[in-house]
Amino acid sequence: MVDGRADLGFLAIEPAREEGVRFTTPYVQIEGVFATRDASLTVADVDRPGTTIATRRGSAYDLYLTRTIEHATIVRSDEVEQAYEGGADVLSGVRQPITAYAQEHGLTVLEPAFQAIRQAVAVPRERPERLVAGLDEIVAELKASGFVAESLERAGQVATVPQD
């Protein structure tokens, strides 16, 4: 969208992205979680010196971790599972795929989620504010009518539909 190749997108709301795009109110919220081989870790333990966190490069959770992690080392990869299998201590990602990966590989998903990822409709920043206002009305209607929740259920996705 920033390069002008798309007029509309469905993205996680992130401060780093707001330079180039405008967001509607969120239509869904998903969770970012950690998984690890070390079942004794807590979410609070992750940000410590010597801990490495594998994350998908450029993802919403990468941007969030970049903003919030002070002591641990973030290892970015296009294939986050490979980065984790390469020796990272903690795997980060969206709850459903991370939970499935953790079950397959005997890992522990740490609770609670480290991030609430709010998804919204996005348009290039240079588009008029009235466009975002119109999209906001559509998003509100789709949420209120149950369309978003029903679509998530049909797709087998677990997420929260914010009522803001």
Side-chain angles (χ1 to χ4, degrees):
M1 287 187 305
V2 174
D3 296 339
R5 293 182 284 162
D7 295 314
L8 187 80
F10 300 88
L11 300 172
I13 298 171
E14 259 302 312
R17 294 177 174 162
E18 289 180 335
E19 291 178 22
V21 300
R22 294 179 192 271
F23 290 102
T24 64
T25 57
Y27 60 87
V28 70
Q29 181 173 295
I30 57 180
E31 294 180 321
V33 297
F34 294 126
T36 182
R37 294 173 201 88
D38 184 351
S40 70
L41 281 180
T42 67
V43 171
D45 294 330
V46 171
D47 189 13
R48 63 182 180 193
T51 300
T52 54
I53 305 168
T55 194
R56 188 171 313 281
R57 184 185 337 274
S59 64
Y61 42 94
D62 176 16
L63 297 171
Y64 176 83
L65 294 171
T66 298
R67 264 196 343 269
T68 60
I69 293 296
E70 297 177 357
H71 306 289
T73 301
I74 301 170
V75 179
R76 293 169 180 84
S77 175
D78 294 329
E79 299 297 329
V80 69
E81 293 84 359
Q82 286 179 339
Y84 178 72
E85 291 165 5
D89 301 301
V90 178
L91 175 63
S92 67
V94 173
R95 179 177 292 282
Q96 289 82 355
I98 293 299
T99 299
Y101 183 87
Q103 289 172 346
E104 291 171 16
H105 294 86
L107 307 179
T108 299
V109 175
L110 304 182
E111 297 295 347
F114 69 83
Q115 179 189 18
I117 304 168
R118 299 173 308 132
Q119 299 285 126
V121 179
V123 297
R125 177 138 302 276
E126 68 271 3
R127 298 293 194 270
E129 186 61 40
R130 70 181 184 279
L131 174 62
V132 175
L135 290 170
D136 262 336
E137 290 177 17
I138 294 168
V139 167
E141 181 180 319
L142 293 172
K143 287 175 7 181
S145 72
F147 177 83
V148 174
E150 291 165 7
S151 297
L152 290 166
E153 187 176 328
R154 277 193 312 274
Q157 298 298 311
V158 178
T160 303
V161 178
Q163 298 305 314
D164 51 5

